[in-house]
Amino acid sequence: IISSLSPELRVPLSVLSSNLELLKDNAFHSSRELQAETFLLCEEAIESLMRFLDDVQFLNIANKGELKIETSLFSIEKLIENIMDQPNRLFYKTNRVKICTELTEPLFCSDQKLLSRTISGLIDNAIRFSTQEVKVKFAGNGKDLKIEICDNGYGIPANEAEHIFEPFYRCSNARMISGNGLGLSIAKKAITCLRGSISIESEILKGTKVKLTIPKNDC
């Protein structure tokens, strides 16, 4: 855990330190463009750090059994729109994510915020570990919402599959790629809290398919 925490904290802090030093050294001479770019890098570093700490806090709350759900009736199409319009996500403004919907009922009752966080994290994972198209399918019959997220990336080694939901666990074939190993553990905790299920099918160098089933709550 310590080895996983170290780079997640050190990298953004190093970015902040180096760019603040640059601003200090060029306080009276740097162009507006350089200042704007430097501030943007600092903001991104802070956002990365805050997101990581937020993930750790989420798992802490979930592990203590204190994760609460807040249900509401919402449009699935609107949920998808909000998910794809998050500027802090890797998939933001990319054309690699292809959405498909097969819905018999446009509205769904669940915890929209928790569901959005889970799906966003899984799409981020798929984008991170694949250079090709990521397919996301939403299907619903009015009772359950089924979601599939498919990529053609590195895949998960069969002998490591049992560990993928453990916090900070990173597969041996993906340790050179940035990440903190919290994405799947967060998804598992969130889906369990929603009384749903999550399963993963994967094959090395052929890709991974994540399947979610979330039952509809009463609203």
Side-chain angles (χ1 to χ4, degrees):
I1 291 175
I2 291 173
S3 65
S4 298
L5 282 170
S6 181
E8 290 300 320
L9 298 173
R10 184 178 299 278
V11 171
L13 289 174
S14 296
V15 171
L16 280 170
S17 177
S18 60
N19 281 283
L20 289 173
E21 193 67 31
L22 177 65
L23 283 173
K24 184 174 69 175
D25 291 343
N26 294 278
F28 303 104
H29 306 289
S30 57
S31 66
R32 287 186 177 274
E33 291 78 11
L34 178 59
Q35 289 181 18
E37 183 178 347
T38 305
F39 280 123
L40 178 61
L41 289 171
C42 289
E43 289 168 358
E44 290 176 347
I46 292 171
E47 189 173 295
S48 172
L49 185 58
M50 293 302 294
R51 189 162 58 247
F52 172 68
L53 294 175
D54 185 49
D55 285 346
V56 172
Q57 177 67 2
F58 178 92
L59 283 177
N60 181 46
I61 293 172
N63 286 332
K64 290 193 293 184
E66 297 176 356
L67 196 59
K68 308 295 184 183
I69 64 170
E70 299 178 3
T71 58
S72 63
L73 190 64
F74 57 87
S75 161
I76 299 175
E77 294 286 355
K78 187 64 177 179
L79 171 74
I80 296 169
E81 181 183 324
N82 291 339
I83 287 172
M84 298 307 298
D85 196 32
Q86 299 176 81
N88 62 330
R89 291 293 180 176
L90 292 177
F91 55 79
Y92 182 63
K93 298 297 184 185
T94 180
N95 58 4
R96 285 206 287 134
V97 180
K98 306 300 179 184
I99 305 289
C100 169
T101 57
E102 296 179 2
L103 304 167
T104 58
E105 172 57 55
L107 300 179
F108 192 69
C109 182
S110 185
D111 187 320
Q112 184 176 4
K113 184 177 179 181
L114 196 55
L115 190 54
S116 175
R117 178 179 191 149
T118 303
I119 299 168
S120 299
L122 292 172
I123 298 176
D124 251 1
N125 260 11
I127 288 288
R128 190 187 305 275
F129 297 110
S130 172
T131 59
Q132 300 179 46
E133 187 175 272
V134 172
K135 297 178 181 178
V136 185
K137 178 181 176 182
F138 292 80
N141 56 13
K143 294 183 179 180
D144 296 325
L145 179 62
K146 296 182 182 296
I147 304 163
E148 291 184 2
I149 301 168
C150 307
D151 67 63
N152 296 299
Y154 294 96
I156 299 168
N159 63 335
E160 299 182 48
E162 62 182 300
H163 301 293
I164 58 176
F165 292 116
E166 297 174 6
F168 299 106
Y169 186 82
R170 307 201 68 210
C171 291
S172 56
N173 62 337
R175 288 174 185 163
M176 296 303 292
I177 299 173
S178 64
N180 55 37
L182 293 178
L184 288 178
S185 56
I186 286 174
K188 177 71 171 178
K189 293 289 185 183
I191 294 302
T192 299
C193 189
L194 294 173
R195 299 184 296 106
S197 63
I198 178 170
S199 63
I200 294 182
E201 301 170 5
S202 188
E203 192 172 345
I204 290 294
L205 299 180
K206 290 191 176 180
T208 299
K209 178 187 289 187
V210 181
K211 295 182 177 181
L212 307 175
T213 300
I214 300 97
K216 185 176 182 178
N217 280 35
D218 293 327
C219 283

